Amino acid sequence: MFFRDPRNPRLSVSLAALLVVASTSSLNAHVRHVRHAPVRHAHAATPRTVAQADAPAPAAPAPAASSPALLAADDVSWLFPPPKSAADLDNTIAVADLTAPDPKDPTKRLPIWPAAAFAQFIANAESPATTIVSHHIKLPADAHDIKAWRVAGLRIDPGAPGLTSEIIGQFGQSPQLRFILQPVTRKPGGGVQVHDVAAHVIYTFATGADDPAQPGCSKRPKPDTEAFRKLARDFATLRDDLAAGKFGDARITTAGKPLGVHPGLADKRTAKPLKDALVEVLQRNLSGEKLTAMAVMGLDVDAPEPWIFLAMAPVPPGVVPSLPNGGFIPVRGPSLDGKQMAQGLAVLETPHQVMPTPAPNNLNPITCKHAALPSGEAALPVAERKGLATAALFDMGDATVTDPKKIAKIKETVDLVADADRSHFFNTDCVSCHTDTRRTLDLLKNASIPGVDPAVLPKEKWNVRNFGWFPSFFRGTLEPTATRRAASETEAVVKFINDNGLAKP
């Protein structure tokens, strides 16, 4: 895939690996794409919709006893409990501590988030690319130190940006492991501060690429199925060892549970040994060479809003003069106007809280055309797009809606945004994937969210986490968060891995 920096139209950027989030992720991101003829989701013809009190969502069934190898939601999407004290940091992972063997010298180890890539992440996050009107990202001082960044969550994924045959046909298939990282500051007296900032850092298991599906589109990555299979098996082993009591002499199962804080990380008996075993898995499967995309969600200078989202992707050596060895640069939003890179959400702004207004294409057939291609908006003119975004739902205020037509529109919008078979990074804006759940709970009476542990649902509209930790200014709490979009992506991942036997020994 190739993008141009609109500030320099002569600059073309290689972005074949850009399949970000985040959302979310991400920044949940929200990208997802280990076979060219995948098993389709059995539920695709009848996608899950917002449930209300008179029609509660059915509980997730436990896997049959005859199928011990089947993975569950918490086996592929790991949400850490947020640290409340410095002592809790022992049960979290500092990304700076994750290393891989140096391919040139196996006696040495290198960070999986290389220093150069981290420096580019910080520079891009605070660059003019995040400017929206008078707003731009300014990271906390401590966030400039890689040692501050902790793993809030992660997910393994057999293919971004989606797992349907239609999406793979247009975009190819990029198996990934995606981190949600957040900076944590140690405070005097043993306290900690988790900042309202997040990074999506993405590692891809691909080998080569097929020709573009259409003229003007990017080449389509081909999956390194065996590399991803090893990763999936390692995660299945963690699940099995946890259930067998090999971590802290406590037997804990993940089967049949909705997406939430990982039960093995939530239990004090197993949290530390399970975390240590997870570190070994990550260091065995990841390296800086597999780093293919990054994204940031950050705040304006000394302000509680707006939240600003920006994706970043790699360029090869010799493309950008300031990056002679290659590196990461900001990219345009695929569902924006073909010029704007960042998107923001300011819940106190009037008349529009989402800036700029997105132009999604999630109601049209799946296409590899989008506004982040070299020709920008001309690749898929706004007039030719057809889609829905949560931007319109912010214009409805926060009171429960009673008008039947408005209720129907809200449901249509949130059901579409949460549908991982129809909406993905290249046809749906970041803000939508980070706000569909809270907008549902704000606007629909007695709404319930399928597939998510109620304890981790966002409790206020200021929480735009897709999957991660939210420090609430109003309640003074630190909350683990997961959304319907994160759950639907997880459901698709679990089904694809299980149907294709990717985690079997």
Side-chain angles (χ1 to χ4, degrees):
M1 184 179 299
F2 292 90
F3 292 72
R4 286 194 185 95
D5 185 335
R7 296 164 295 179
N8 184 351
R10 296 174 296 176
L11 178 60
S12 293
V13 182
S14 172
L15 301 179
L18 174 60
L19 296 164
V20 179
V21 172
S23 166
T24 110
S25 306
S26 260
L27 256 91
N28 212 284
H30 63 279
V31 279
R32 298 191 357 54
H33 287 297
V34 131
R35 303 185 191 272
H36 282 286
V39 177
R40 283 287 289 120
H41 309 323
H43 65 278
T46 54
R48 302 175 74 179
T49 58
V50 171
Q52 293 188 267
D54 56 349
S66 60
S67 303
L70 294 182
L71 296 182
D74 290 327
D75 299 325
V76 302
S77 294
W78 289 51
L79 180 60
F80 279 71
K84 304 294 179 63
S85 68
D88 292 340
L89 295 178
D90 289 341
N91 296 336
T92 67
I93 298 174
V95 71
D97 292 340
L98 297 178
T99 61
D102 183 343
K104 297 179 180 179
D105 183 352
T107 65
K108 298 180 180 179
R109 298 189 67 85
L110 300 174
I112 67 164
W113 199 5
F118 176 74
Q120 291 152 15
F121 170 82
I122 297 296
N124 291 333
E126 297 186 326
S127 74
T130 64
T131 300
I132 301 175
V133 192
S134 61
H135 306 292
H136 67 91
I137 290 177
K138 179 62 178 177
L139 297 173
D142 289 341
H144 289 74
D145 184 351
I146 193 173
K147 295 179 181 179
W149 291 83
R150 300 271 166 171
V151 177
L154 63 85
R155 182 165 73 238
I156 63 171
D157 187 334
L163 288 164
T164 69
S165 57
E166 294 85 358
I167 295 176
I168 291 174
Q170 290 291 309
F171 292 96
Q173 188 177 345
S174 293
Q176 297 177 344
L177 185 145
R178 301 205 299 277
F179 286 124
I180 299 90
L181 307 175
Q182 293 184 237
V184 180
T185 299
R186 294 177 181 265
K187 307 294 286 186
V192 296
Q193 178 184 1
V194 175
H195 296 278
D196 195 5
V197 176
H200 286 200
V201 180
I202 300 172
Y203 297 81
T204 297
F205 303 84
T207 174
D210 290 323
D211 291 336
Q214 300 180 53
C217 289
S218 67
K219 289 188 175 184
R220 294 170 293 167
K222 295 190 294 185
D224 187 340
T225 305
E226 285 310 307
F228 182 80
R229 197 185 295 271
K230 291 178 182 177
L231 178 71
R233 287 170 180 164
D234 279 351
F235 273 79
T237 298
L238 291 175
R239 181 273 318 269
D240 294 340
D241 289 349
L242 180 64
K246 294 185 178 181
F247 302 121
D249 295 325
R251 297 176 181 268
I252 297 176
T253 181
T254 55
K257 294 180 171 62
L259 183 63
V261 172
H262 193 285
L265 297 173
D267 193 301
K268 292 182 179 180
R269 298 169 297 175
T270 57
K272 178 66 164 55
L274 177 59
K275 184 268 295 187
D276 291 342
L278 175 60
V279 167
E280 293 182 8
V281 167
L282 297 174
Q283 295 192 134
R284 186 160 57 243
N285 289 277
L286 302 180
S287 69
E289 294 178 334
K290 289 185 171 70
L291 176 61
T292 52
M294 302 186 293
V296 64
M297 184 188 80
L299 291 167
D300 200 351
V301 181
D302 299 323
E305 64 164 44
W307 296 270
I308 298 174
F309 300 80
L310 177 73
M312 310 172 200
V315 295
V319 173
V320 179
S322 61
L323 299 173
N325 297 319
F328 288 82
I329 68 168
V331 298
R332 298 194 302 268
S335 59
L336 301 180
D337 60 4
K339 300 176 183 178
Q340 186 71 41
M341 293 185 176
Q343 186 184 29
L345 169 66
V347 299
L348 298 180
E349 291 278 343
T350 56
H352 300 296
Q353 297 171 326
V354 179
M355 307 172 292
T357 301
N361 195 45
N362 45 22
L363 284 175
N364 273 330
I366 299 295
T367 176
C368 58
K369 301 282 188 178
H370 52 81
L373 288 167
S375 53
E377 195 262 348
L380 186 62
V382 170
E384 297 178 12
R385 303 182 208 174
K386 183 180 180 182
L388 297 174
T390 60
L393 305 187
F394 283 94
D395 294 336
M396 294 183 180
D398 297 327
T400 301
V401 173
T402 57
D403 182 282
K405 290 184 178 180
K406 289 186 177 181
I407 290 174
K409 191 63 177 179
I410 294 167
K411 289 184 176 181
E412 180 187 15
T413 299
V414 297
D415 287 348
L416 177 63
V417 169
D419 188 345
D421 288 349
R422 300 172 67 193
S423 299
H424 56 78
F425 172 70
F426 294 104
N427 69 8
T428 305
D429 64 295
C430 292
V431 169
S432 287
C433 290
H434 282 253
T435 59
D436 67 298
T437 298
R438 191 59 241 175
R439 284 285 79 193
T440 299
L441 296 172
D442 284 337
L443 299 177
L444 297 181
K445 183 179 181 180
N446 298 325
S448 62
I449 305 299
V452 183
D453 182 349
V456 299
L457 290 171
K459 297 175 177 61
E460 59 184 72
K461 68 178 182 179
W462 294 83
N463 185 353
V464 295
R465 287 286 170 274
N466 185 295
F467 197 63
W469 304 328
F470 173 63
S472 173
F473 173 81
F474 291 106
R475 293 193 306 281
T477 55
L478 182 57
E479 302 164 0
T481 301
T483 64
R484 183 184 175 196
R485 174 70 200 193
S488 66
E489 292 182 0
T490 298
E491 180 184 19
V493 165
V494 166
K495 182 167 179 57
F496 192 93
I497 291 176
N498 289 337
D499 285 352
N500 289 279
L502 297 177
K504 288 184 178 180

